[in-house]
Amino acid sequence: MMIRAPMRISLFGGGSDLPMYRELTGSGGCVLSCTIDKYVTAKYVRDKPFAAHGDVLPGSGLGGSGAACVALSKLRTATSGYELFQEAWAMEFAANRHAGWQDVAASTWGGLNLFSFGSDLRIEPISIPPGWNERLLLFSTGITRQASEPLAMQAEQMLEYVDDLTKAAESAAWVAWSILQGRTPELGWCLHSAWQDKRRLPGVTTPAIDHAYDAARNAGAAGGKLCGAGGGGYLLFYVEPDAQASVRTAMAELQLTELPFHLTTDGARMI
């Protein structure tokens, strides 16, 4: 038996899913994220469970560690839904005390969802809007890092940045609500606006990342963000079709490699 669990791109609200945020505010945040067609697989090797990051290297900012915990938990327990989420989260938290809930939740359920992390986890499934798959591009910064490092830094200084995280959570809820009302907002502008706030958090960006982001914007990207906790991984951009060649050229000149992908709707499953 083999289990395949999807990775994700976090669109809005990242950081408000951290347990420390809920402790400080008394209410959890919101994250809008979507799974992608990059996976972690888990299987038994010599009677021991083993997870392999077959599609993307660890430290990519695409939720690989959470997907690994989901794949391993499903392999061992054959659970799904909330039970699988709880099992996988216990594994993730044991490995990284500063981890947030969003990666495990995304990989468990799959698809585009608004996750609300209050006293109870609430899930609002959302249909992927037309055009998103054709306009979202991912580029590797060439830097991998352990999410625990920037997350630990952000947890230590969270009181200083709690208002920024609250604003991020509100952005996630507003974008999700707009889509559900049939008024999908301009995703590029929303991503750019949220990134201006997120990049102020400690450990999130670097001069090289800022340079690459500005180069993509100058080449025609409407907006974007760095995926994951910060410091490396993948840059996500929303780019209209007629500007994509220019953006790809600009990223190639900086030696950033594109990762072709599609948004998906499936969570962890047996293959």
Side-chain angles (χ1 to χ4, degrees):
M1 182 174 70
M2 182 180 294
I3 302 296
R4 187 175 76 173
M7 297 184 186
R8 60 92 187 104
I9 53 171
S10 176
L11 295 167
F12 301 96
S16 73
D17 63 311
L18 301 179
M20 178 66 74
Y21 176 82
R22 190 168 72 180
E23 290 177 18
L24 287 174
T25 62
S27 61
C30 299
V31 171
L32 181 65
S33 69
C34 191
T35 47
I36 62 175
D37 58 350
K38 307 302 171 193
Y39 303 94
V40 175
T41 57
K43 62 181 179 179
Y44 284 102
V45 177
R46 297 175 183 172
D47 297 325
K48 294 183 179 181
F50 175 78
H53 292 66
D55 292 328
V56 179
L57 290 174
S60 65
L62 300 178
S65 64
C69 292
V70 170
L72 286 169
S73 296
K74 191 169 184 66
L75 181 70
R76 290 164 45 184
T77 64
T79 53
S80 60
Y82 286 97
E83 189 175 353
L84 174 59
F85 170 77
Q86 291 169 345
E87 292 274 351
W89 164 245
M91 185 184 298
E92 174 88 322
F93 188 70
N96 177 10
R97 295 281 173 172
H98 298 293
W101 289 294
Q102 65 156 312
D103 296 350
V104 169
S107 193
T108 297
W109 278 279
L112 178 64
N113 296 284
L114 178 70
F115 295 107
S116 300
F117 302 100
S119 56
D120 297 309
L121 171 64
R122 286 181 293 139
I123 307 151
E124 185 75 55
I126 302 170
S127 296
I128 298 170
W132 280 19
N133 261 317
E134 293 77 20
R135 290 169 173 81
L136 287 170
L137 305 179
L138 271 175
F139 295 91
S140 173
T141 64
I143 305 167
T144 58
R145 82 290 174 271
Q146 294 298 316
S148 57
E149 298 171 9
L151 287 176
M153 190 184 307
Q154 291 162 28
E156 291 171 3
Q157 302 178 46
M158 186 169 288
L159 190 59
E160 181 180 352
Y161 296 96
V162 68
D163 290 342
D164 290 317
L165 294 177
T166 298
K167 186 176 179 180
E170 291 171 349
S171 295
W174 179 80
V175 172
W177 178 85
S178 298
I179 297 170
L180 290 169
Q181 295 299 310
R183 298 193 293 269
T184 301
E186 207 289 298
L187 183 60
W189 181 88
C190 293
L191 287 171
H192 178 69
S193 178
W195 172 241
Q196 300 314 301
D197 295 324
K198 181 67 180 286
R199 64 187 297 275
R200 291 200 294 265
L201 298 181
V204 168
T205 193
T206 67
I209 289 170
D210 286 341
H211 179 62
Y213 183 86
D214 290 343
R217 286 268 295 166
N218 290 336
K225 66 180 297 268
L226 185 72
C227 294
Y234 282 81
L235 280 164
L236 174 74
F237 296 110
Y238 186 88
V239 190
E240 293 295 339
D242 60 359
Q244 290 181 8
S246 296
V247 171
R248 288 186 169 107
T249 297
M251 295 299 94
E253 289 174 353
L254 296 175
Q255 299 184 326
L256 270 65
T257 304
E258 184 177 3
L259 177 69
F261 79 100
H262 284 89
L263 306 173
T264 65
T265 58
D266 293 332
R269 63 186 182 90
M270 183 173 66
I271 56 174

